[in-house]
């Protein structure tokens, strides 16, 4: 049940980021909400499988930059989730540049924190 809630909240956060960040838009033949759901699913999978490995590898750089490099790792996770959803399921989001992915990952992180706090209450 927790996975489904995480998936829903992540999809909502991605939808909000898509509407606020220029350079990120729904992609594919499906409706926009399906695109957000696919990317939300893959973002949860990537965050649970790939992100811990990248976090450990990038730990020295994260320490040197006082944690700022973790934003870059989050950007790569959003890019990877977008790539996987578009290439495996045929629908997702299109990210124009790394700057868009960077701003999108910051917005997704902020929105997920807000939505998590709302969901707990």
């Amino acid at each position: 049940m927790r996975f489904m809630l995480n998936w829903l909240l992540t999809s909502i956060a991605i939808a909000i980021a898509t509407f606020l960040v220029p350079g990120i838009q729904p992609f594919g033949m499906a409706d926009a909400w399906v695109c957000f759901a696919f990317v939300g699913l893959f973002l949860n999978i990537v965050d649970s499988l790939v992100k811990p490995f990248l976090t450990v590898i990038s730990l020295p750089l994260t320490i040197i930059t006082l944690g700022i490099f973790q934003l870059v790792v989050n950007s790569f996770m959003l890019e990877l989730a977008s790539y996987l959803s578009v290439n495996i399921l045929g629908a997702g989001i299109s990210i124009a540049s790394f700057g868009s992915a960077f701003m999108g990952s910051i917005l997704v992180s902020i929105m997920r924190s807000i939505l998590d706090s709302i969901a707990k209450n």
Side-chain angles (χ1 to χ4, degrees), residues 5-71:
L5 181 62
N6 281 339
W7 182 11
L8 176 67
L9 296 179
T10 302
S11 299
I12 292 170
I14 290 170
I16 292 169
T18 300
F19 291 117
L20 294 178
V21 176
I24 300 178
Q25 57 189 354
F27 179 82
M29 298 300 290
D31 290 335
W33 67 270
V34 175
C35 296
F36 303 141
F38 286 165
V39 176
L41 173 67
F42 278 103
L43 189 58
N44 280 336
I45 292 170
V46 164
D47 278 349
S48 64
L49 298 177
V50 179
K51 189 176 179 181
F53 179 70
L54 281 179
T55 301
V56 169
I57 289 176
S58 66
L59 190 60
L61 211 55
T62 303
I63 291 171
I64 290 171
T65 61
L66 301 174
I68 300 297
F69 190 73
Q70 195 63 35
L71 295 173

Side-chain angles (χ1 to χ4, degrees), residues 46-119:
V46 164
D47 278 349
S48 64
L49 298 177
V50 179
K51 189 176 179 181
F53 179 70
L54 281 179
T55 301
V56 169
I57 289 176
S58 66
L59 190 60
L61 211 55
T62 303
I63 291 171
I64 290 171
T65 61
L66 301 174
I68 300 297
F69 190 73
Q70 195 63 35
L71 295 173
V72 174
V73 172
N74 287 344
S75 302
F76 283 129
M77 294 301 99
L78 184 61
E79 287 266 7
L80 180 60
S82 170
Y83 174 81
L84 290 173
S85 68
V86 167
N87 288 321
I88 293 176
L89 299 175
I93 58 173
S94 171
I95 301 175
S97 65
F98 180 75
S100 297
F102 188 77
M103 291 304 298
S105 68
I106 290 172
L107 261 169
V108 167
S109 297
I110 291 169
M111 292 311 302
R112 271 303 308 264
S113 297
I114 293 170
L115 292 171
D116 280 341
S117 68
I118 292 171

